[in-house]
Amino acid sequence: MSRQCYPLTEYARPQSLPHMFCPGCGCGQVMNYFIHAIADLGMSLDEIVAIGGVGCAARIPVYLKTDTLHGVHGRTLAWATGIKLHKPEIPVVIFAGDGDAGSIGGNHFIQAARRNLDVTFIIVNNLNFAMTGGQVAPTTPLMATTMTTPYGSSEPPFDLCLLAVSSGATYVSRWTTAHGFQTIKSLKKALTHKGFSVVEIISQCPTHFGRYALGSGNPVDLVKWIKERTVMKSKVSNIEEEQKQGRFVLGEFQDISRAVYSGSTVFETGC
Ligand code: SF4
Ligand SMILES: [Mg+2]
């Protein structure tokens, strides 16, 4: 099918293509799932601001026909806060890597969740700092080999969904790139949710994580490796405690409503 005929071409910014993702990278799948969610909801990209910081996933907004902001590492939520305080009616979507969300922008992440900032925060978790060459990240599985942990990472990883829930986020879910249907459904919920909505997607980085941790740059091997480590939230209580270690628990972790942080909250309370 030619690029002109592809039904979702209208959502991509042709002058930004071709994209920079490596062959087999999960970032392209995440972008595809996001476009499907937008198309299913009948939303127009014209009405959305999409923000990316630094990292492979942070490039996704550059390829979308949204109003796009692409800037420094870990500061996406600061920009989103400014936009929402000025124009609360505009939907704001952030594409963050796991480094952007859990490390460099970690404090913004927990404060935005605490405030219930009304934005959609999509975390593409490829388990390492990919764009800079495959260094260990706060999400790297225990004992996984990376460029900077040749003997395995000795630090336990963050559970970004539990961090979001305990910080106050009002919609939180986790899937993998191998769960397209569920991811699109969660993205649709997140995009229509009022409050801080987080969708974490475990994604394959064959170029760095695959090569260092598995000894294979084949994306299929890495997707299989990720899938084998998943367990549904509803089934997690059925498995032994020691078998829970290193698993990616999938499902929805939070779906509640409470007051959002907005211009009127700030001005009415005099904060
Ligand atoms: S370095 Fe990894 S995450 Fe980045 S584009 Fe390549 S495969 Fe994807
Ligand atoms: Mg990363």
Side-chain angles (χ1 to χ4, degrees):
M1 187 179 284
S2 78
R3 246 168 66 177
Q4 286 69 29
C5 305
Y6 190 73
L8 300 176
T9 302
E10 60 181 291
Y11 295 91
R13 196 191 298 268
Q15 63 271 34
S16 298
L17 298 171
H19 60 71
M20 52 136 273
F21 306 134
C22 306
C25 173
C27 289
Q29 280 172 278
V30 173
M31 180 171 158
N32 184 301
Y33 298 156
F34 175 76
I35 289 174
H36 273 281
I38 292 288
D40 285 359
L41 290 171
M43 290 175 82
S44 160
L45 288 187
D46 273 349
E47 60 188 88
I48 295 173
V49 174
I51 307 178
V54 165
C56 300
R59 296 285 297 188
I60 293 173
V62 175
Y63 308 126
L64 293 172
K65 271 194 195 158
T66 49
D67 285 330
T68 293
L69 218 160
H70 184 241
V72 294
H73 210 182
R75 301 295 172 254
T76 54
L77 283 161
W79 301 326
T81 304
I83 293 166
K84 290 304 288 191
L85 289 183
H86 185 59
K87 294 257 184 191
E89 70 281 5
I90 292 181
V92 174
V93 180
I94 294 155
F95 290 87
D98 44 314
D100 226 14
S103 183
I104 287 90
N107 207 343
H108 293 281
F109 179 48
I110 58 175
Q111 306 301 340
R114 179 172 68 88
R115 293 172 179 147
N116 201 24
L117 185 71
D118 183 23
V119 301
T120 302
F121 196 62
I122 302 168
I123 306 172
V124 185
N125 180 0
N126 54 25
L127 312 170
N128 74 144
F129 280 102
M131 186 175 258
T132 46
Q135 296 86 357
V136 68
T139 47
T140 300
L142 195 63
M143 296 318 295
T145 307
T146 69
M147 179 209 245
T148 46
T149 54
Y151 301 108
S153 172
S154 59
E155 299 171 8
F158 266 139
D159 184 325
L160 294 174
C161 286
L162 292 189
L163 184 63
V165 171
S166 59
S167 302
T170 47
Y171 180 79
V172 180
S173 67
R174 179 190 292 120
W175 298 105
T176 80
T177 51
H179 295 80
F181 176 77
Q182 295 91 332
T183 303
I184 292 169
K185 199 171 161 200
S186 270
L187 287 172
K188 283 159 60 176
K189 274 191 162 184
L191 285 161
T192 50
H193 179 83
K194 193 85 181 140
F196 193 62
S197 52
V198 177
V199 180
E200 180 186 357
I201 305 159
I202 310 293
S203 176
Q204 70 276 16
C205 168
T207 299
H208 296 304
F209 189 81
R211 280 194 304 139
Y212 283 113
L214 277 67
S216 164
N218 183 333
V220 177
D221 292 342
L222 183 49
V223 173
K224 277 188 188 160
W225 183 91
I226 291 170
K227 259 189 104 174
E228 283 163 10
R229 280 156 183 77
T230 61
V231 59
M232 287 303 300
K233 181 174 155 259
S234 54
K235 302 262 172 63
V236 79
S237 57
N238 300 341
I239 60 174
E240 299 293 326
E241 198 55 42
E242 59 191 38
Q243 289 183 329
K244 288 180 190 163
Q245 304 305 320
R247 295 287 197 127
F248 302 115
V249 182
L250 306 183
E252 284 186 350
F253 301 89
Q254 189 69 291
D255 188 4
I256 57 169
S257 83
R258 67 179 175 89
V260 299
Y261 183 80
S262 69
S264 55
T265 317
V266 174
F267 300 126
E268 279 164 20
T269 58
C271 298

